[in-house]
Amino acid sequence: MEKNKDKIITSAKSWSGFPKKYPVLWNIILVVLAAFVLIWIMLSMLDLWTLHGDEDVVPSVRGMNYNQAENILGKAGMTAEITDSIFESTIAPGTVVDQNPKSNSKVKPGRTVYLTIVAFSPKLVTVPEFINASLRQGISIFEGLGLKKVDIVKVPSEYKDLVLGARYNGLPLQAGMKIPTTASVIIEVGAGTDEDNETERNSDDI
C-alpha cells in the first residue's frame, strides 16, 4: 500500500516538474489545448448564430393570389418577395405560378421565399426594324417578340412578298414603338406583278 502511495507521489512530482524541465514542449501543449478550446467555442457560437438544427418547412403557395401567399408564408415565419412576373391570359392576375424554395423544402427560420406571379398587364415589347424584310423574315420578327396573332395582307406593289408595313389597332407600326404581347398585328406585303402571280399559279399547277 505504501509503495502505491509512493508511486503516486513520485508521478505527481514528476508531472509538476514537467513545465520547468521541458518549457518549450509544455508551451506547445498549452497552445494546442487553447486552440482546441477556441475552435470548440467558435463552432458552438456558429451553431447558435446559424440556428443549426432549427428548420422550417416551406408551405405550398402556388395557385394562390399574392396576398394569400404572403399571409401563409408570414404565418410560417417567412417573408414573400416577388422576383418575376409573366403574362398568362388564362390565369388571374396576381396568381403565384412558381416559388423558390419549392414547397416542402426545409429552410432556416425567417427565410425569404421568392415568387413568380401572373402580371396584371401584358408585357410590352419594342418593335424592331422590319420594313423591306421578306415575308418569312417579317413573320419571324413579330413572332420572335412573343406575339401570337400575326396576320398577312397583300397590298399593291411590284415587290412580291416584301414587307412594306404593319398595323396594330389600325395604326401603322414603326420601329421603336412599344406594343403588348397580346397585340394582333397585320403585316402588309407586296402582292407582286401579274406576271409574278401567273408564274406562281403555273408552278402550283405543276
Side-chain angles (χ1 to χ4, degrees):
M1 192 73 174
E2 289 296 330
K3 289 182 179 181
N4 290 336
K5 287 184 178 180
D6 290 341
K7 287 182 179 180
I8 295 173
I9 293 171
T10 301
S11 179
K13 287 181 178 180
S14 176
W15 276 106
S16 64
F18 185 85
K20 293 181 179 180
K21 190 174 182 180
Y22 305 102
V24 176
L25 184 58
W26 177 250
N27 286 333
I28 293 175
I29 292 174
L30 290 179
V31 169
V32 172
L33 289 174
F36 274 114
V37 172
L38 183 60
I39 291 172
W40 179 81
I41 293 174
M42 290 177 64
L43 291 176
S44 298
M45 293 298 294
L46 184 62
D47 285 346
L48 182 63
W49 180 261
T50 59
L51 299 175
H52 184 69
D54 292 342
E55 293 181 328
D56 290 334
V57 177
V58 179
S60 175
V61 293
R62 290 187 62 180
M64 301 180 184
N65 65 48
Y66 175 73
N67 290 334
Q68 290 175 321
E70 186 179 38
N71 184 46
I72 293 294
L73 292 171
K75 289 180 179 178
M78 305 173 196
T79 56
E81 182 177 329
I82 298 173
T83 56
D84 196 9
S85 63
I86 62 172
F87 183 77
E88 177 54 65
S89 59
T90 61
I91 303 177
T95 301
V96 177
V97 293
D98 195 18
Q99 65 179 86
N100 184 32
K102 302 295 184 183
S103 60
N104 297 321
S105 299
K106 293 182 179 180
V107 298
K108 299 296 182 185
R111 174 66 189 265
T112 298
V113 178
Y114 302 100
L115 307 177
T116 299
I117 67 169
V118 176
F120 287 88
S121 58
K123 178 183 177 182
L124 295 179
V125 291
T126 303
V127 177
E129 291 287 349
F130 63 91
I131 301 294
N132 293 329
S134 68
L135 173 58
R136 181 175 297 180
Q137 289 174 328
I139 293 174
S140 178
I141 288 171
F142 284 103
E143 288 184 345
L145 296 175
L147 304 182
K148 305 297 184 183
K149 303 173 183 177
V150 180
D151 295 319
I152 309 299
V153 63
K154 294 195 174 185
V155 297
S157 172
E158 60 181 312
Y159 301 108
K160 184 175 177 60
D161 290 339
L162 184 71
V163 175
L164 302 174
R167 291 182 175 274
Y168 162 59
N169 282 348
L171 300 175
L173 282 177
Q174 295 179 354
M177 294 178 64
K178 292 185 178 296
I179 59 176
T181 54
T182 55
S184 178
V185 171
I186 298 176
I187 299 177
E188 299 172 334
V189 298
T193 62
D194 292 338
E195 183 178 348
D196 291 333
N197 294 325
E198 183 65 28
T199 301
E200 183 177 347
R201 281 193 294 269
N202 292 335
S203 63
D204 289 341
D205 292 338
I206 295 174

